Amino acid sequence: MSCKNILCLFDVDGTLTMPRQNIDPDMYTFLTEKLIPNYTVGLVGGSDLSKIHEQMGGSSFDLSDVNYVFAENGLVAFKNGEEIAKQSIANFLGEEKLQKLINYALRYMSEIVLPLKRGTFIEFRTGLINLCPIGRSCTLEERLSFVKFDAEHKIREKFIQCLERDLKDLGLKYSIGGQISIDVFPVGWDKTYCLKYVEEEFKDRIHFFGDKIKPGENDHEIFVDPRVIGHSVTSPEDTKKQLMSIFNLN
């Protein structure tokens, strides 16, 4: 039975795909054959559009395959493959505030001692700035080693505490993103930002699925938002199992 009046909204990294990996073919088939024909489907990620596109299958994935794609928490928004909105953090903040953040982050990260560091410590996106103490050019093996080190030493958690203490006048929010980084964006520009495009049409019928739902993680705000029905998942396989149970998909 078609239920296009229900919106299934998904985090990408860790929810539909393993962290920083491409979607598994079985998961992609499940979405395209079981879910998408019967429900309205949207993606919301902190990553930019190119990363979401890559993780969802690259050349085999078209933006129009799903009803909504919200890149960078919805600052770059698409409906049925067509761009409907775009906001820039640079224009919003202005150069003075932007450089205050960047200069502080570079100084702080230069003084962190880690088992290893690579490159691209600050990634400037349209709607947010991504801070990465290890560097985003690390290999998968190096990424996993940082995950263990961060879990023990709370590198990102301590970084956020300092950002909140020393840059509280900038009106910014700091959120642990993915496995290795911190997302920085204006207050209110978390994943709840994307709800402005869908809340009226799908009122009380928005199901959100995400894996980073604890306070300080980048799915938390939308997970607890009263406009959505939040579902906590642990992996793409868990997402699939919950979808099958909730919507009786066999």
Side-chain angles (χ1 to χ4, degrees):
M1 182 180 69
S2 178
C3 298
K4 287 293 186 178
N5 64 336
I6 294 175
L7 172 62
C8 296
L9 190 58
F10 298 94
D11 165 58
V12 178
D13 205 53
T15 299
L16 293 181
T17 78
M18 295 301 288
R20 290 302 300 132
Q21 303 298 302
N22 293 346
I23 192 167
D24 183 89
D26 289 341
M27 184 64 166
Y28 189 80
T29 299
F30 173 78
L31 291 176
T32 55
E33 294 185 1
K34 300 289 187 179
L35 193 68
I36 292 174
N38 299 306
Y39 295 86
T40 300
V41 174
L43 311 176
V44 55
S47 297
D48 60 25
L49 186 62
S50 65
K51 286 188 175 66
I52 292 175
H53 192 276
E54 175 189 351
Q55 286 188 265
M56 288 301 296
S59 59
S60 63
F61 175 73
D62 189 272
L63 290 177
S64 60
D65 289 347
V66 294
N67 303 97
Y68 294 95
V69 177
F70 300 117
E72 303 185 47
N73 293 346
L75 276 298
V76 182
F78 287 80
K79 181 179 182 180
N80 298 322
E82 299 292 328
E83 185 178 294
I84 58 173
K86 190 173 185 178
Q87 175 64 280
S88 165
I89 190 172
N91 291 339
F92 184 85
L93 284 182
E95 195 61 32
E96 183 178 350
K97 289 184 176 180
L98 197 60
Q99 288 199 33
K100 186 173 182 179
L101 167 66
I102 291 171
N103 291 342
Y104 180 93
L106 286 171
R107 281 195 301 270
Y108 185 95
M109 287 188 286
S110 73
E111 296 173 357
I112 299 175
V113 178
L114 301 175
L116 58 90
K117 288 184 179 181
R118 292 302 177 252
T120 313
F121 301 101
I122 296 182
E123 186 173 76
F124 194 94
R125 301 176 185 171
T126 305
L128 59 83
I129 293 178
N130 185 265
L131 309 178
C132 185
I134 186 178
R136 297 197 64 87
S137 61
C138 60
T139 65
L140 178 59
E141 183 180 356
E142 292 165 344
R143 167 188 285 264
L144 294 177
S145 71
F146 176 81
V147 170
K148 293 180 180 179
F149 190 83
D150 186 47
E152 179 181 355
H153 298 281
K154 310 295 183 187
I155 299 300
R156 291 182 295 170
E157 186 177 315
K158 293 175 183 176
F159 193 178
I160 287 176
Q161 290 171 357
C162 291
L163 287 163
E164 291 176 335
R165 180 194 67 204
D166 298 335
L167 299 180
K168 56 187 176 182
D169 60 322
L170 296 187
L172 295 172
K173 178 84 174 177
Y174 309 94
S175 176
I176 290 176
Q179 293 180 305
I180 60 173
S181 60
I182 295 169
D183 291 334
V184 183
F185 43 84
V187 172
W189 282 24
D190 50 60
K191 287 183 179 177
T192 61
Y193 189 93
C194 76
L195 297 178
K196 64 193 291 185
Y197 305 110
V198 296
E199 61 180 323
E200 288 301 319
E201 182 178 356
F202 300 98
K203 188 172 183 179
D204 300 323
R205 301 186 306 276
I206 301 173
H207 290 259
F208 171 76
F209 298 81
D211 67 314
K212 298 291 186 183
I213 56 90
K214 296 178 181 177
E217 296 181 332
N218 64 359
D219 292 330
H220 174 72
E221 287 83 3
I222 191 169
F223 178 77
V224 300
D225 193 287
R227 292 171 290 180
V228 310
I229 303 163
H231 303 277
S232 173
V233 303
T234 58
S235 67
E237 186 61 31
D238 185 41
T239 302
K240 181 178 177 181
K241 288 180 180 177
Q242 291 198 38
L243 286 168
M244 292 176 69
S245 174
I246 294 166
F247 300 118
N248 294 315
L249 301 173
N250 297 314

